[in-house]
Amino acid sequence: MSSKILTFTLNGETIRVVVEPTDMLADVLRDKLNLIGVKKGCGQGECGACTVIMNGDAVTSCIIPALKAEGAVVETIEGIGGPGKYHPLQESFMDLGAIQCGFCTPGMIMSAKALLDKNEQPTREEIREAISGNICRCTGYVKIEKAVSTAAEKIREGK
Amino acid sequence: MLQDYLIPETVEQALSHLQGGKGRARVVAGGTDLLLDLANGKKEAGVLVDLTRIPGLQEITLEDDLIRLGAAVTHNQVAKSKLIQEKASVLARAARSVGSLQIRNTATVVGNVVNAQPAADAAVALVALGAVAEVVSPSGKEYIPVEKLYAGVGKSVLDSTSQIVTRIQFPALLKNQGSAYERLEQRKALALPMLNVAVVVSLADNRFQWARIVMAPVGPGPVRATEAEAILTGADVSLGNIENAAAAARAQANPRSSALRGSREYRLEVLPVLVRRALEAAVVRAGGNC
Ligand SMILES: Cc1cc2nc3c(=O)[nH]c(=O)nc-3n(C[C@H](O)[C@H](O)[C@H](O)COP(=O)(O)OP(=O)(O)OC[C@H]3O[C@@H](n4cnc5c(N)ncnc54)[C@H](O)[C@@H]3O)c2cc1C
Ligand code: FES
Ligand code: FES
């Protein structure tokens, strides 16, 4: 097999990593770059657990060939905030109990962030569209929807 | 087994990569169908040739009343496009119903057509719009109606190891024309259509000049309800004529029972309802009334 060097911007840093043409982006992020916040549920684009933001849009990284990311700007949950300085979405998911087992949470938050980056005042329908590709087996979505709209308020107030 | 992934900058370069692959190199766009097919052995490729960065192919344009979509245009681009919402709303609605937002951000409309699934949402709408594919190969350029691209379930007449669909084009709808899309589904996202219906109508003096009615999955590709179309051609816009057309569409459909998409009996009951609703909505958009 012919390995290649993939160069892309990951969470604000330029990264060069050796990948195989058969590698999917989710596997490179998890196994080669140790970003295990990227979850893998179905591996078929159906559950949204592996959602990352690529060039501004939410995409399911499990069905994106890693080499498609050449030159792209990719964001994962690790890049948006963490202990010490959480993103408003991370804060409101925790504060409002929008997390139970947590497996869907990174993908859910990345889908929500892709929305809020473009639209700080989303309607309920827009929030629902944004997270419609993220399946949660635990929460029932009500608290997730609330957490996203609360985060949007926080972001607007912070300006 | 995949040996290489290439990202050409021009259509010529893409063609020459395909030629160099001698049948082992294959076009990829969003990859949402192809990567899964490669993983489960339904398709084979040694090299993938990614069209999505070729300048010009990301655009939706309107020129001389002809709308053109490049091979890299995604479902989300189409769903959000003001131009498509206004001049081909059936396609905006169809594209909006594909998978999830993540899939719509990645998957292309052209890929939806070439993959040749019978009920591919955008393809069903494009057949109703009378869309034509611009196909480029080493021997030149040709234009093939989307309706003629089907060779069987999941089989296109196109060979994606040597031919490239660069664009799909169709006439923008005029003021006296309207379109509509109806879909039976188990839930509002990430659900394949159990039935989908796309219609385009053209009216004059509250009569149908013509109607195009497309239904799926009730055959190997999107199926034109030609009997229903014939009933409406030249007929008054009336609920009675629309009901007759819906019944004719049902008589022409041949759905199979499927664990995923529902029984033949159930879908035969629902189909005429969808056809009627779509015709009524399209008539209103064309400025007519029943
Ligand atoms: C989770 C999930 C949900 C989905 N839900 C739906 C749904 O609700 N409705 C629906 O209709 N589809 C659905 N799909 C299927 C899929 O997303 C669409 O068919 C998509 O539009 C295919 O486009 P693509 O760009 O990803 O194609 P690719 O996978 O890149 O290509 C598909 C095929 O077409 C060929 N090809 C692509 N572009 C060209 C070209 N320009 N010239 C020549 N050959 C070409 C490729 O070689 C390949 O054989 C879903 C898929 C997933 C993974
Ligand atoms: S793991 Fe990617 S969508 Fe489920
Ligand atoms: S919190 Fe468990 S899947 Fe969503």
Side-chain angles (χ1 to χ4, degrees), chain A residues 45, chain B residues 26-27 29-34 51 75 99 108 112 120-121 160 165 183:
Chain B
R26 185 175 187 98
V27 170
T32 61
D33 281 316
L34 184 54
L51 301 180
H75 290 292
T108 63
N112 195 242
D121 285 290
S160 299
V165 177
R183 191 181 203 257

Side-chain angles (χ1 to χ4, degrees), chain A residues 39-50 60 62:
Chain A
K39 299 301 177 199
K40 210 167 151 188
C42 64
Q44 308 192 344
E46 300 268 357
C47 76
C50 64
T60 43
C62 69

Side-chain angles (χ1 to χ4, degrees), chain B residues 33-51:
Chain B
D33 281 316
L34 184 54
L35 271 296
L36 294 173
D37 284 348
L38 292 176
N40 63 28
K42 277 198 207 148
K43 291 204 169 88
E44 241 293 302
V47 177
L48 293 184
V49 181
D50 184 329
L51 301 180

